[in-house]
Amino acid sequence: MPMLNILIFTPTYYEANHLMLKPETTQAIMNMDIAGYEVDWLLTRDNPYPQKKWQDNLIWNLNKAQKMARGYDYLMTIEHDIVVPVDTLIKLINCNVAVVSGLYRLRPGHGANPDNIPLAVLKFEPGIEEGLPGSLTYHSLGEKWLEGKDIIVQVDAVGYGCCLFRNDILYIPFDMDLDYSHRLKTNGVPMYVCSQVKCDHIDEDGSIIKV
């Protein structure tokens, strides 16, 4: 059986002349169990737009990585401030779907209530018009998320913090997360989240936001 090859991509950018890449993120990626897969890790410092246009730089770099990943079986995105568990890659690949995200919480700076920080995956609430996302939380999913079992749940949107994309959907251009998720749905590509992959998110002050 041919060995799977995976390209891990971490978009980086400069802020106040400092490269934004957390050492905890680097250590976690280097410590990941690659289970005999062929794995390459791509960092990019190609940011052609001004710093304040970070979204344009992100999209530029995501699509650059997407083109480079077409010779791989999977593209995995891990953002510069996400700390992934050791078994992340194995568990996401074992989900055997085209798009699957790990779990992590948004940073309070993203407009979240720091006392109830939502997860960075979205599911539209019943009766709410599509395009007005509601947060996918433990409460809305039920206690099954807390049982520690392998549970894969279909969602309406995923982010790039910790996400695995199979090669056959890499023809769909990347965009900001909600816009890209809409493109996936339009093309009939379902998105999932794996409850066993629980990542830490490093806040701006260095504190760790846990699932």
Side-chain angles (χ1 to χ4, degrees):
M1 183 176 180
M3 183 181 298
L4 293 176
N5 53 19
I6 300 101
L7 179 63
I8 297 173
F9 172 59
T10 301
T12 60
Y13 61 95
Y14 278 91
E15 187 172 284
N17 296 320
H18 293 288
L19 184 66
M20 302 300 289
L21 176 61
K22 301 296 185 183
E24 297 93 336
T25 299
T26 299
Q27 183 176 358
I29 293 173
M30 297 304 294
N31 288 342
M32 263 200 311
D33 185 354
I34 62 173
Y37 303 136
E38 293 183 1
V39 177
D40 293 314
W41 183 24
L42 172 66
L43 297 174
T44 179
R45 295 172 60 177
D46 177 19
N47 295 299
Y49 300 100
Q51 286 186 17
K52 63 181 180 180
K53 294 189 175 183
W54 65 269
Q55 292 176 321
D56 293 332
N57 282 319
L58 175 61
I59 295 169
W60 168 272
N61 284 306
L62 282 167
N63 283 298
K64 188 174 181 178
Q66 186 184 59
K67 291 176 182 177
M68 297 176 70
R70 287 175 183 166
Y72 290 80
D73 296 301
Y74 291 93
L75 170 64
M76 182 177 185
T77 57
I78 301 175
E79 291 185 338
H80 75 282
D81 54 2
I82 295 293
V83 181
V84 297
V86 171
D87 56 1
T88 294
L89 189 58
I90 296 172
K91 287 187 173 177
L92 292 184
I93 288 177
N94 285 344
C95 291
N96 195 30
V97 293
V99 179
V100 60
S101 174
L103 278 176
Y104 57 97
R105 295 192 183 279
L106 296 173
R107 298 194 310 189
H110 286 73
N113 179 348
D115 297 324
N116 185 24
I117 303 172
L119 299 170
V121 288
L122 299 175
K123 194 171 184 66
F124 299 119
E125 299 294 339
I128 294 180
E129 180 183 356
E130 183 172 330
L132 299 175
S135 174
L136 184 67
T137 64
Y138 280 148
H139 176 70
S140 65
L141 286 172
E143 291 298 314
K144 64 183 181 180
W145 282 78
L146 301 176
E147 294 174 0
K149 297 179 181 178
D150 279 315
I151 298 174
I152 306 170
V153 174
Q154 187 170 351
V155 294
D156 293 301
V158 294
Y160 297 117
C162 172
C163 202
L164 186 72
F165 304 91
R166 203 169 58 202
N167 173 277
D168 58 314
I169 57 96
L170 292 181
Y171 68 92
I172 303 172
F174 282 125
D175 205 332
M176 293 308 295
D177 43 19
L178 288 178
D179 294 325
Y180 178 66
S181 295
H182 180 71
R183 288 182 182 177
L184 290 173
K185 292 186 73 175
T186 301
N187 281 273
V189 180
M191 294 156 280
Y192 297 86
V193 62
C194 177
S195 67
Q196 267 208 335
V197 177
K198 298 177 181 178
C199 308
D200 294 340
H201 199 168
I202 304 174
D203 206 350
E204 293 178 356
D205 62 1
S207 61
I208 303 297
I209 303 170
K210 292 186 172 292
V211 172

